[in-house]
Amino acid sequence: MYTSILISTIIKGIFIYLFALILSKAIGIKIISQMNFFDFIMGVSVGSMIAKIIIDKDHVVFSGIIALITFTLLTIATSYLSLKSYTVRRIINAKTLILVENGRIIDKNMKRLRITINELMMKLREKDVFSLDDVQFAIMEGDGQLSILIKANKKPVTPYD
């Protein structure tokens, strides 16, 4: 009895794995740092569906495949629409926000992102900036990265100088 369940699970696993490879190729691969929140949620959802199809003995494989194809088509359509439509892109992608301007923290944007001053200072230190007074602009990008423009008089000397 257990061997038939084991063999069935292995066969379903191989089939769904190959099918998932084909679907992921159709969706297109993004590096994790390039993923937005929507891409992440879609990836987790598809992964959960794949695991349910493989493990659940009562789950019908055909309906799982239809669900995977539906998610793939919706992901491709959403990606296409976000390329073509500014409105869709604005809804799906996170907005960039200025957190520091001329050495001053912009509180309303910090609250909007739910980021503390300690977290901001940690991100600044990761970029080798240890004082807010040295920062012209600090911008939180849509992918969660912090972009920093150091004030001109605080930039290190270069061979060009």
Side-chain angles (χ1 to χ4, degrees):
M1 177 176 174
Y2 289 116
T3 55
S4 66
I5 293 172
L6 180 66
I7 291 171
S8 170
T9 303
I10 290 171
I11 291 171
K12 283 195 298 187
I14 291 170
F15 175 72
I16 296 301
Y17 175 79
L18 294 173
F19 190 69
L21 284 176
I22 293 167
L23 292 179
S24 67
K25 194 72 168 166
I27 291 172
I29 299 171
K30 286 187 178 182
I31 298 171
I32 289 178
S33 65
Q34 294 175 335
M35 286 183 156
N36 58 30
F37 184 69
F38 175 77
D39 294 329
F40 177 74
I41 294 299
M42 294 307 292
V44 170
S45 298
V46 168
S48 175
M49 289 170 31
I50 288 170
K52 182 144 180 83
I53 294 168
I54 294 170
I55 294 172
D56 193 356
K57 64 182 180 210
D58 297 329
H59 192 74
V60 179
V61 175
F62 182 73
S63 66
I65 289 172
I66 297 301
L68 284 173
I69 290 171
T70 303
F71 260 68
T72 300
L73 293 175
L74 288 172
T75 302
I76 292 169
T78 306
S79 295
Y80 179 77
L81 286 173
S82 71
L83 285 173
K84 297 294 181 182
S85 169
Y86 175 73
T87 305
V88 173
R89 188 170 41 250
R90 205 178 72 218
I91 292 169
I92 291 175
N93 294 331
K95 185 178 177 184
T96 60
L97 290 174
I98 298 173
L99 299 180
V100 179
E101 187 173 2
N102 292 325
R104 291 184 35 229
I105 294 174
I106 301 178
D107 288 326
K108 71 175 186 176
N109 289 346
M110 294 281 288
K111 288 177 184 174
R112 186 182 284 167
L113 288 176
R114 295 181 195 95
I115 185 171
T116 66
I117 293 173
N118 291 339
E119 292 169 328
L120 173 64
M121 293 305 296
M122 180 185 70
K123 291 264 190 196
L124 289 172
R125 287 189 300 272
E126 288 174 356
K127 302 279 186 168
D128 296 326
V129 177
F130 293 89
S131 173
L132 281 173
D133 293 331
D134 297 347
V135 179
Q136 181 72 38
F137 284 102
I139 301 170
M140 184 63 74
E141 303 293 347
D143 64 355
Q145 295 293 317
L146 188 68
S147 297
I148 300 170
L149 177 63
I150 298 174
K151 290 181 179 176
N153 62 345
K154 299 294 183 173
K155 288 183 180 177
V157 178
T158 64
Y160 179 77
D161 296 333

